Protein backbone atom coordinates (compact mmCIF):
# COMPACT_ATOMS: atom_id res chain seq x y z
CA UNK A 1 0.00 0.00 0.00
CA UNK A 2 1.44 3.40 -0.93
CA UNK A 3 1.55 6.28 1.53
CA UNK A 4 -0.65 9.34 0.97
CA UNK A 5 1.81 12.01 -0.27
CA UNK A 6 -0.26 14.68 1.50
CA UNK A 7 0.38 13.13 4.95
CA UNK A 8 3.65 12.12 6.61
CA UNK A 9 3.20 10.34 9.96
CA UNK A 10 5.85 10.82 12.66
CA UNK A 11 6.23 10.42 16.39
CA UNK A 12 5.52 14.18 16.67
CA UNK A 13 2.21 14.04 14.81
CA UNK A 14 1.05 13.80 11.23
CA UNK A 15 2.62 16.29 8.84
CA UNK A 16 0.02 17.42 6.34
CA UNK A 17 0.65 19.34 3.15
CA UNK A 18 -0.15 22.95 4.08
CA UNK A 19 -3.10 24.58 2.32
CA UNK A 20 -4.98 27.86 2.41
CA UNK A 21 -8.61 28.20 1.33
CA UNK A 22 -9.33 31.58 -0.22
CA UNK A 23 -12.62 33.44 0.21
CA UNK A 24 -13.77 32.29 -3.24
CA UNK A 25 -13.23 28.64 -2.26
CA UNK A 26 -10.02 28.16 -4.22
CA UNK A 27 -7.50 26.02 -2.32
CA UNK A 28 -3.82 26.94 -2.50
CA UNK A 29 -1.42 24.06 -1.84
CA UNK A 30 1.81 25.26 -0.27
CA UNK A 31 5.28 23.84 -0.74
CA UNK A 32 5.67 22.59 2.84
CA UNK A 33 4.25 20.15 5.36
CA UNK A 34 3.18 21.13 8.89
CA UNK A 35 1.68 19.84 12.10
CA UNK A 36 -0.45 21.78 14.52
CA UNK A 37 0.53 21.89 18.14
CA UNK A 38 3.10 23.69 20.18
CA UNK A 39 5.51 24.29 18.77
CA UNK A 40 4.23 24.05 15.21
CA UNK A 41 6.52 21.88 13.12
CA UNK A 42 7.24 22.56 9.43
CA UNK A 43 9.08 20.58 6.79
CA UNK A 44 10.14 22.98 4.02
CA UNK A 45 9.66 20.75 1.00
CA UNK A 46 6.88 19.73 -1.34
CA UNK A 47 8.49 16.34 -2.03
CA UNK A 48 6.97 13.63 0.21
CA UNK A 49 10.12 11.47 0.12
CA UNK A 50 12.28 14.43 1.15
CA UNK A 51 9.74 15.30 3.88
CA UNK A 52 10.16 11.82 5.38
CA UNK A 53 13.94 12.39 5.46
CA UNK A 54 13.53 15.82 7.09
CA UNK A 55 11.48 14.34 9.94
CA UNK A 56 14.60 12.61 11.23
CA UNK A 57 16.23 16.03 11.81
CA UNK A 58 13.54 16.75 14.40
CA UNK A 59 14.95 14.01 16.62
CA UNK A 60 18.09 16.13 17.07
CA UNK A 61 15.95 19.12 18.03
CA UNK A 62 13.67 17.25 20.45
CA UNK A 63 16.61 15.54 22.15
CA UNK A 64 17.49 18.98 23.56
CA UNK A 65 14.52 21.27 22.87
CA UNK A 66 15.26 23.57 25.82
CA UNK A 67 18.92 23.87 24.76
CA UNK A 68 17.96 24.85 21.20
CA UNK A 69 15.43 27.37 22.55
CA UNK A 70 18.00 28.91 24.90
CA UNK A 71 20.64 29.19 22.17
CA UNK A 72 18.04 30.87 19.94
CA UNK A 73 16.94 33.39 22.56
CA UNK A 74 20.59 34.12 23.47
CA UNK A 75 21.34 34.73 19.77
CA UNK A 76 18.45 37.20 19.53
CA UNK A 77 19.69 39.15 22.54
CA UNK A 78 23.27 39.14 21.25
CA UNK A 79 22.13 40.34 17.82
CA UNK A 80 20.21 43.32 19.16
CA UNK A 81 22.41 44.31 22.11
CA UNK A 82 24.87 47.17 21.84
CA UNK A 83 27.42 45.32 23.92
CA UNK A 84 27.90 41.93 25.48
CA UNK A 85 24.55 40.92 27.03
CA UNK A 86 24.27 40.57 30.79
CA UNK A 87 23.25 37.15 32.17
CA UNK A 88 20.00 38.66 33.50
CA UNK A 89 19.12 39.90 29.98
CA UNK A 90 19.68 36.43 28.57
CA UNK A 91 17.57 34.82 31.30
CA UNK A 92 14.74 37.32 30.78
CA UNK A 93 14.71 36.75 27.04
CA UNK A 94 14.70 32.97 27.50
CA UNK A 95 11.53 33.35 29.58
CA UNK A 96 9.84 35.95 27.36
CA UNK A 97 10.64 34.62 23.87
CA UNK A 98 8.47 31.54 23.44
CA UNK A 99 9.16 28.91 20.79
CA UNK A 100 6.33 29.02 18.24
CA UNK A 101 7.55 27.18 15.14
CA UNK A 102 10.36 24.84 14.16
CA UNK A 103 11.15 24.69 10.44
CA UNK A 104 13.35 21.96 9.01
CA UNK A 105 14.95 22.76 5.65
CA UNK A 106 16.56 20.50 3.07
CA UNK A 107 20.21 20.18 3.97
CA UNK A 108 19.45 20.08 7.70
CA UNK A 109 19.08 23.75 8.62
CA UNK A 110 16.60 24.53 11.41
CA UNK A 111 14.79 27.83 11.83
CA UNK A 112 13.23 28.57 15.20
CA UNK A 113 10.52 31.23 15.22
CA UNK A 114 10.00 32.89 18.60
CA UNK A 115 7.08 34.90 19.95
CA UNK A 116 7.55 37.82 22.33
CA UNK A 117 5.07 36.76 25.01
CA UNK A 118 5.18 40.10 26.84
CA UNK A 119 5.50 42.45 23.84
CA UNK A 120 8.44 44.27 25.46
CA UNK A 121 11.13 43.11 23.05
CA UNK A 122 9.42 43.39 19.62
CA UNK A 123 6.53 45.38 18.23
CA UNK A 124 3.22 43.58 17.82
CA UNK A 125 3.15 41.60 14.58
CA UNK A 126 6.93 41.07 14.50
CA UNK A 127 8.89 38.08 15.76
CA UNK A 128 12.50 36.96 15.78
CA UNK A 129 13.68 33.89 13.89
CA UNK A 130 17.02 32.15 14.36
CA UNK A 131 18.52 29.94 11.67
CA UNK A 132 20.88 27.11 12.62
CA UNK A 133 22.97 25.21 10.10
CA UNK A 134 23.09 21.42 9.90
CA UNK A 135 25.85 21.40 12.55
CA UNK A 136 23.73 23.43 15.00
CA UNK A 137 25.54 26.75 14.66
CA UNK A 138 23.59 30.03 14.43
CA UNK A 139 23.88 31.44 10.91
CA UNK A 140 21.27 34.22 10.98
CA UNK A 141 18.97 36.15 13.30
CA UNK A 142 16.12 37.99 11.60
CA UNK A 143 12.93 39.81 12.53
CA UNK A 144 9.90 38.73 10.53
CA UNK A 145 6.41 40.14 10.16
Amino acid sequence: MSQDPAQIPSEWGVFTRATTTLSDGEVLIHDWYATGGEPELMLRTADPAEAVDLVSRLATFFADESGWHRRASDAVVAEFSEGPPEPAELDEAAEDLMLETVEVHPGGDLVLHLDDSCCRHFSSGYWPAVRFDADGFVTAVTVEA
Side-chain angles (χ1 to χ4, degrees):
M1 173 192 292
S2 66
Q3 178 175 312
D4 178 355
Q7 294 189 343
I8 309 295
S10 79
E11 64 185 278
W12 302 287
V14 175
F15 287 89
T16 304
R17 189 71 181 269
T19 62
T20 300
T21 302
L22 302 178
S23 59
D24 65 0
E26 178 184 2
V27 177
L28 301 177
I29 300 173
H30 300 292
D31 61 350
W32 66 85
Y33 289 82
T35 66
E38 295 180 21
E40 179 180 22
L41 306 174
M42 297 175 71
L43 307 174
R44 282 298 192 160
T45 182
D47 177 357
E50 187 172 43
V52 170
D53 290 340
L54 293 179
V55 168
S56 65
R57 179 72 166 124
L58 286 171
T60 302
F61 168 77
F62 280 111
D64 186 21
E65 182 178 355
S66 62
W68 285 91
H69 175 245
R70 180 59 188 242
R71 290 188 301 130
S73 65
D74 286 358
V76 170
V77 173
E79 179 71 20
F80 296 107
S81 292
E82 293 190 17
E86 297 293 324
E89 290 177 276
L90 298 172
D91 291 343
E92 179 182 327
E95 288 181 30
D96 295 344
L97 299 176
M98 308 303 296
L99 181 61
E100 287 293 314
T101 305
V102 178
E103 286 185 56
V104 183
H105 290 257
D109 286 10
L110 287 176
V111 178
L112 303 185
H113 297 265
L114 305 169
D115 179 51
D116 181 4
S117 64
C118 62
C119 300
R120 290 188 312 211
H121 306 279
F122 294 90
S123 299
S124 180
Y126 294 87
W127 64 89
V130 180
R131 187 176 195 112
F132 295 88
D133 67 15
D135 294 322
F137 294 103
V138 173
T139 61
V141 176
T142 58
V143 176
E144 301 180 358

